Amino acid sequence: TNDHHAGQTALHRMGAACNCGIRMEDPKFFKAQWIVKTDLKFEATKAHEGPVLLYPYIYFTTTPDTHEKPSAEIWRINLDTKKRELVRSMDKANMANGMVLCPPKPTESKTVIGSFFTCEQGHNKGMKARISKTTIHQDGTHTYEVIVEENGKDINFNSPNDIAVAPDHAIWFTDPTYGSIQGFRPNPPKAPNSIYRIDPETKEVKRVVDLGGDKDGKGCKPNGLCFSGDGKTLYFTDTMLDDRSIYGIPLNKKGDDVAPGAEPEHVVRVLPADPESDNAIPDGLKWVDGLLVTSCGPNLAFIDPVKKQRLGDFELGDHFESVRHLCAHAY
């Protein structure tokens, strides 16, 4: 079937991207297992979110050691040499979380390998929440710039979480209140759980989806996000334990806002084997060959957004617990 073909294509692309092999166990459906080259040793990286691939480097953010002080970092691995390098230390990474590649510019210098945007959650220890851009040069050096940051007046963020680039090159990012709940951002939160858009030319930031505030720490927590292949629909995950779902919302004709009067429409719940588990959440979200791919504990879940059906899971196994987010954000 077309579903089977799309699933196989998606799985093989992810396997190639992660330098892993794929073994198809069920020809009728695309259940599979990772066969990993052991020399990569991703389990030793504390990989949390990202990653972005700018060959030969793969960049990612690390899991914070504590929320009492800024403790996330940005690292990179050279896929040829397997060497790991610290790119941005705890005091500079600003509780970095989601990352996404920047579209290449025709006018970009030939010395530039590429760039990526990062969600920086900020911290009560004097660090502002912001969206930044890191550019990697052929000599391995980096340049850094702030795209937009909170100012305490007309721009107030909670803890920017994940990020995507629209077909028109605008930056869209989720901003849940997790930072307030976890104690490293102002409480009560500065803004409702939201999704924002940054204009690619003017850098103007606009709240395009208002998902409301929290009540007793509960409320919609937008996390991963992506666009449909035709760019007409925005999809995002809600990672609250009492929901854990994927939603879609149509965009207007220009694609620079949601359609007038549109509200998020439920696509599917993404429940783990243990419904009480707080680890198996639909975190990252990617569009791959007509399917939505998200994490669910040590698995990747494949969803048909048209049928609103969870087609099946890509089983990573317990060995991948420490890198489930890394894999979920790869594609």
Side-chain angles (χ1 to χ4, degrees):
T1 67
N2 290 334
D3 288 345
H4 178 216
H5 175 74
Q8 284 189 330
T9 302
L11 290 173
H12 282 295
R13 284 189 179 181
M14 286 192 295
C18 295
N19 205 12
C20 304
I22 301 294
R23 181 172 68 245
M24 307 303 294
E25 295 184 338
D26 184 349
K28 188 176 179 181
F29 185 64
F30 45 91
K31 274 195 169 183
Q33 293 180 340
W34 289 96
I35 303 172
V36 181
K37 292 186 177 179
T38 56
D39 57 348
L40 290 179
K41 297 187 183 299
F42 280 138
E43 71 274 14
T45 64
K46 292 199 306 179
H48 181 60
E49 300 236 9
V52 293
L53 178 64
L54 288 166
Y55 191 81
Y57 301 106
I58 185 168
Y59 292 77
F60 58 91
T61 59
T62 64
T63 304
D65 294 323
T66 177
H67 292 134
E68 294 181 1
K69 64 178 182 179
S71 58
E73 298 174 325
I74 297 178
W75 283 73
R76 73 179 183 185
I77 297 175
N78 186 312
L79 296 178
D80 291 334
T81 66
K82 311 302 181 288
K83 180 182 179 182
R84 288 179 291 158
E85 297 178 80
L86 177 64
V87 175
R88 196 161 297 138
S89 58
M90 293 181 184
D91 59 326
K92 296 180 181 179
N94 195 23
M95 295 297 277
N97 202 9
M99 307 161 77
V100 70
L101 284 174
C102 303
K105 294 182 178 180
T107 58
E108 210 157 44
S109 169
K110 293 182 179 179
T111 65
V112 171
I113 295 177
S115 306
F116 58 84
F117 296 118
T118 303
C119 285
E120 299 185 19
Q121 299 178 93
H123 199 282
N124 288 333
K125 301 288 186 181
M127 292 183 167
K128 296 181 178 180
R130 63 173 68 101
I131 302 299
S132 65
K133 179 181 180 181
T134 301
T135 300
I136 299 89
H137 302 273
Q138 288 184 354
D139 61 2
T141 60
H142 306 77
T143 53
Y144 172 88
E145 66 176 296
V146 174
I147 301 299
V148 65
E149 70 178 6
E150 60 185 357
N151 57 21
K153 299 176 182 178
D154 59 329
I155 302 177
N156 292 293
F157 299 140
N158 295 311
S159 42
N161 188 286
D162 210 349
I163 189 166
V165 177
D168 65 356
H169 293 186
I171 305 166
W172 293 56
F173 66 96
T174 54
D175 187 38
T177 58
Y178 277 130
S180 299
I181 294 172
Q182 294 168 352
F184 65 91
R185 291 287 290 160
N187 197 0
K190 293 183 177 182
N193 295 282
S194 305
I195 300 176
Y196 292 90
R197 177 186 184 271
I198 302 174
D199 187 275
E201 300 298 330
T202 67
K203 303 298 187 290
E204 177 185 1
V205 60
K206 177 183 180 181
R207 181 182 294 124
V208 289
V209 183
D210 183 337
L211 295 165
D214 290 351
K215 184 177 181 180
D216 300 327
K218 293 184 178 181
C220 181
K221 294 291 179 288
N223 199 311
L225 75 168
C226 70
F227 296 92
S228 59
D230 59 10
K232 295 181 178 180
T233 305
L234 170 71
Y235 292 97
F236 65 92
T237 67
D238 177 6
T239 47
M240 278 301 294
L241 290 183
D242 56 356
D243 190 7
R244 286 185 286 197
S245 292
I246 295 175
Y247 290 85
I249 187 167
L251 304 184
N252 63 17
K253 292 182 179 180
K254 291 180 62 178
D256 61 357
D257 203 339
V258 299
E263 296 289 338
E265 181 179 351
H266 189 262
V267 176
V268 68
R269 295 196 76 186
V270 186
L271 293 177
D274 177 8
E276 299 302 318
S277 169
D278 61 358
N279 291 321
I281 60 175
D283 197 328
L285 186 65
K286 298 298 178 185
W287 179 273
V288 183
D289 292 335
L291 302 179
L292 292 168
V293 185
T294 189
S295 61
C296 186
N299 294 353
L300 295 181
F302 284 72
I303 288 93
D304 184 326
V306 177
K307 295 181 178 180
K308 296 186 177 181
Q309 179 184 354
R310 181 171 174 174
L311 298 178
D313 287 7
F314 185 72
E315 300 171 1
L316 304 178
D318 293 339
H319 176 72
F320 288 87
E321 273 297 305
S322 65
V323 295
R324 63 182 181 274
H325 297 301
L326 175 68
C327 293
H329 285 260
Y331 265 82

